[in-house]
Amino acid sequence: MKEGNKMLDIKDRKWKDFFIEEIATINSGRDIYEAERKKGNNPYVSSSSVNNGICHFVSNENATMEAGCISVNRNGSVGYAFYHPYKALYSNDCRKLRLKYPNKYVAIFITTQITAQRGKYSYGYKMGTGRLKRQKIMLPIDKNGNPDYAFMEQYIKEREKQIIQKYISYIGKNAEKSVGGGGFSD
């Protein structure tokens, strides 16, 4: 996807709006009320804008347990979307999206596009299933006018690589600073 050493640029793409229901199936979550919750290791996704939407860790299980999904908050912090590569449970305060083109990198790209729409929603104007189905998001398209999933995947992979390289560089610089300062002396 790269031309020479040139990074992919979203400005070089044609874009088109798609209804979310065209690219994903949308399912309701199921509440696990406080009195029912048992502490455990299963992430319970609700409607937080932090921690990838995870509000609790429980040992409960139900039919919403699934990995590789996107959660979209319909209550609380309305409009935030998060990708969950791990098995999680989903409350009724969010909607669980199963992409028709399941791919981690595509999911990350799409969550940013959904979250970009959050400003029009609020506690009084929730993002329920009906509104979410008809919510439009802009996506890059291929020559046939379909979502360009290959581009989305490569674009996110490149950004991920950039972040990792920055982190490695940062760690390397700080490791050099700490060597020789603070060791034991004879």
Side-chain angles (χ1 to χ4, degrees):
M1 294 287 306
K2 272 197 232 182
E3 299 163 11
N5 285 333
K6 184 180 175 196
M7 298 292 287
L8 293 175
D9 190 343
I10 58 175
K11 295 175 189 170
D12 296 339
R13 297 285 148 186
K14 289 186 180 178
W15 292 69
K16 179 177 147 186
D17 56 346
F18 292 89
F19 290 114
I20 291 178
E21 70 179 343
E22 293 178 281
I23 60 167
T25 58
I26 302 167
N27 297 298
S28 295
R30 188 171 139 215
D31 288 332
I32 302 173
Y33 299 105
E34 187 173 358
E36 302 171 309
R37 281 185 224 132
K38 298 174 191 146
K39 288 188 180 200
N41 296 321
N42 298 327
Y44 180 53
V45 179
S46 193
S47 60
S48 175
S49 64
V50 297
N51 300 326
N52 236 32
I54 299 169
C55 292
H56 304 282
F57 285 89
V58 298
S59 62
N60 306 63
E61 291 189 15
N62 63 35
T64 69
M65 176 88 76
E66 192 170 354
C69 297
I70 294 172
S71 66
V72 181
N73 295 352
R74 64 170 288 275
N75 203 1
S77 298
V78 180
Y80 282 88
F82 302 100
Y83 174 62
H84 306 278
Y86 41 81
K87 281 188 177 182
L89 297 161
Y90 301 84
S91 83
N92 197 40
D93 283 336
C94 65
R95 292 296 176 254
K96 179 175 73 170
L97 277 59
R98 221 180 272 121
L99 292 180
K100 293 178 181 178
Y101 184 91
N103 176 285
K104 166 187 167 178
Y105 300 100
V106 169
I108 293 167
F109 191 99
I110 289 173
T111 60
T112 61
Q113 295 304 98
I114 294 170
T115 300
Q117 300 292 320
R118 76 179 187 275
K120 70 185 199 180
Y121 295 97
S122 65
Y123 186 78
Y125 188 70
K126 294 181 183 182
M127 187 186 273
T129 304
R131 286 187 181 134
L132 189 56
K133 284 181 177 183
R134 304 308 293 167
Q135 172 64 56
K136 290 181 179 181
I137 58 171
M138 296 293 292
L139 296 174
I141 57 173
D142 62 19
K143 64 184 177 189
N144 298 317
N146 298 315
D148 192 344
Y149 295 117
F151 172 81
M152 290 182 242
E153 180 177 355
Q154 283 307 119
Y155 182 81
I156 295 300
K157 282 181 175 179
E158 283 185 7
R159 297 309 166 279
E160 181 181 65
K161 186 177 178 181
Q162 284 177 326
I163 291 167
I164 291 169
Q165 287 172 339
K166 273 186 184 177
Y167 180 71
I168 290 170
S169 175
Y170 173 81
I171 294 297
K173 288 176 186 173
N174 286 313
E176 290 172 11
K177 290 179 187 175
S178 65
V179 172
F184 294 102
S185 60
D186 291 356

